[in-house]
Amino acid sequence: MTVLILTCEQDVTADLAVVELNANGIPVLRLDPAELPGDVDVSGEYVHGAFQGHLSVGGRMVSMQGLRSIWVRRPGTPAAGAVASSAWLTEESSQALYGMLRCTDARWMNHPDAARRARHKPWQLWLARECGLPVPATLITTFPRVAREFAERYPDLVVKPVSGSHPGDDGLAVPTTRVRPDEDFRAVEHGPTLLQRRIRTAADIRLTVVGERMFAARAAADPDAADDDGAVVDVRFRPSGVSWRPVPVPPRVADAVLVYLERAQLSYGAFDFAEDVDGIWWFLECNQSGQFGFIEIETGQPIGSAVAQWLAGEPLDAAGGDDPRPPGSGRPADGATDPTRR
């Protein structure tokens, strides 16, 4: 039984899990949809009520019925690397590949349908609050008047993109930035704008969840870094040298996060929290395909090993590490059904 990993060639984070799978003799097929058609080929046959599908990468053929799990990590756009690439060919290739993979009994991390919904930040904020996670006061609007009224209620605000990405620049993130006190908000009429009450951050928290296993890391904030109006307050844009260290997950946060993943139908999530001066973890977002390599390297937490074990669906000799959550955090007993494994 083979583990299929859909990701680009440059995805170093995926390598952390691949090493563990290889060490335990679990067959792995790594495939970038951008290379379909070309270096990647697919074939599916629907005959006499049965489906038979096959994948080929670099001449290696694998039966789709022999897939134990599918990890949708950072796949390229289907047909993006084709000689005659076009929007039509992208749609055809996407329909063929993902449509056939949906016909298998493999487990997904994460299923494309669930992942697509989970990317919507407005829905994330609503779901987090429904699950009991603290969420800062937030406004998404194209009405300047509404934005001004919100700023009067919450004078200390940050602005961030709704989607998290920069228009026309794949992979280029727009930093979370403080709103100046004299902002007139006329620009919000040109596109949806997300305004959020700024949390006076004592530390940034990255909580990586694999199935039921949680790996939390904390990076202390610079108390003077965000004093200026219009300052960037985004951990991704901090100067190098910021160190992450492992921390336990508060039981109430752990319980709420498990409910979040179950309701979102996710088996993996990278949660970002802002820890305030009172120790409260405020939910900011959940990236359903977030990076974990930098956290594993700095903290030594075996996240790649946990991912490999989930994909294998069985204990691995190379997998290790303790569950970082404290007693009473809501962790099911060994052998209990994991509702997020889908």
Side-chain angles (χ1 to χ4, degrees):
M1 298 291 287
T2 301
V3 171
L4 174 63
I5 301 178
L6 302 178
T7 195
C8 60
E9 183 179 354
Q10 297 79 19
D11 185 8
V12 178
T13 294
D15 295 338
L16 297 174
V18 172
V19 168
E20 299 287 345
L21 291 167
N22 288 336
N24 285 271
I26 305 295
V28 178
L29 181 67
R30 186 166 175 160
L31 181 159
D32 186 357
E35 299 176 353
L36 170 69
D39 292 338
V40 174
D41 292 303
V42 298
S43 182
E45 185 175 283
Y46 302 79
V47 178
H48 303 304
F51 167 72
Q52 294 291 330
H54 291 86
L55 295 167
S56 176
V57 181
R60 179 187 172 191
M61 187 77 71
V62 170
S63 168
M64 292 188 189
Q65 283 64 40
L67 297 178
R68 68 171 74 198
S69 58
I70 303 170
W71 186 17
V72 186
R73 242 301 290 173
R74 290 290 174 92
T77 302
V83 175
S85 181
S86 67
W88 178 85
L89 184 57
T90 289
E91 182 64 20
E92 291 291 291
S93 300
S94 179
Q95 290 269 352
L97 176 62
Y98 289 103
M100 291 181 194
L101 291 177
R102 280 174 166 84
C103 300
T104 71
D105 294 326
R107 301 193 307 163
W108 292 81
M109 180 184 279
N110 289 301
H111 194 284
D113 296 340
R116 185 178 299 108
R117 178 179 60 175
R119 289 186 64 251
H120 292 99
K121 189 173 292 185
W123 184 78
Q124 289 185 23
L125 297 171
W126 172 84
L127 180 60
R129 185 66 187 87
E130 286 286 300
C131 295
L133 292 170
V135 178
T138 305
L139 172 70
I140 302 173
T141 187
T142 58
F143 291 97
R145 177 182 58 81
V146 174
R148 286 191 288 269
E149 292 173 354
F150 188 75
E152 290 175 0
R153 283 183 286 157
Y154 304 99
D156 192 359
L157 293 174
V158 295
V159 60
K160 59 178 72 172
V162 179
S163 67
S165 58
H166 190 278
D169 291 299
D170 293 339
L172 180 60
V174 177
T176 300
T177 306
R178 288 191 66 183
V179 176
R180 299 181 184 278
D182 58 352
E183 181 62 59
D184 62 16
F185 296 103
R186 285 182 295 179
V188 305
E189 66 182 0
H190 300 298
T193 302
L194 191 155
L195 301 172
Q196 193 169 71
R197 180 176 70 85
R198 181 173 77 96
I199 302 299
R200 294 189 175 274
T201 306
D204 293 287
I205 303 291
R206 167 57 70 92
L207 173 58
T208 307
V209 187
V210 183
E212 296 172 354
R213 300 187 63 186
M214 297 189 177
F215 304 89
R218 183 181 189 271
D222 181 351
D224 300 322
D227 286 344
D228 297 333
D229 297 331
V232 172
V233 286
D234 195 317
V235 67
R236 297 169 299 175
F237 293 83
R238 280 191 186 176
S240 59
V242 175
S243 59
W244 294 86
R245 63 179 182 85
V247 291
V249 184
R252 292 183 63 180
V253 174
D255 291 342
V257 163
L258 287 180
V259 175
Y260 182 106
L261 291 176
E262 180 180 6
R263 293 186 61 174
Q265 297 182 305
L266 299 176
S267 54
Y268 175 91
F271 292 78
D272 287 326
F273 293 90
E275 178 187 320
D276 68 14
V277 294
D278 296 317
I280 297 174
W281 288 17
W282 292 86
F283 174 90
L284 300 179
E285 66 178 325
C286 174
N287 188 335
Q288 55 82 27
S289 62
Q291 302 280 14
F292 62 81
F294 71 102
I295 294 294
E296 175 161 339
I297 291 172
E298 290 201 35
T299 66
Q301 295 173 312
I303 305 175
S305 179
V307 170
Q309 183 164 313
W310 190 97
L311 294 171
E314 60 189 53
L316 300 179
D317 292 338
D322 298 327
D323 191 305
R325 290 176 291 172
S329 63
R331 180 174 182 266
D334 291 341
T337 300
D338 178 358
T340 67
R341 292 188 173 185
R342 60 186 72 186

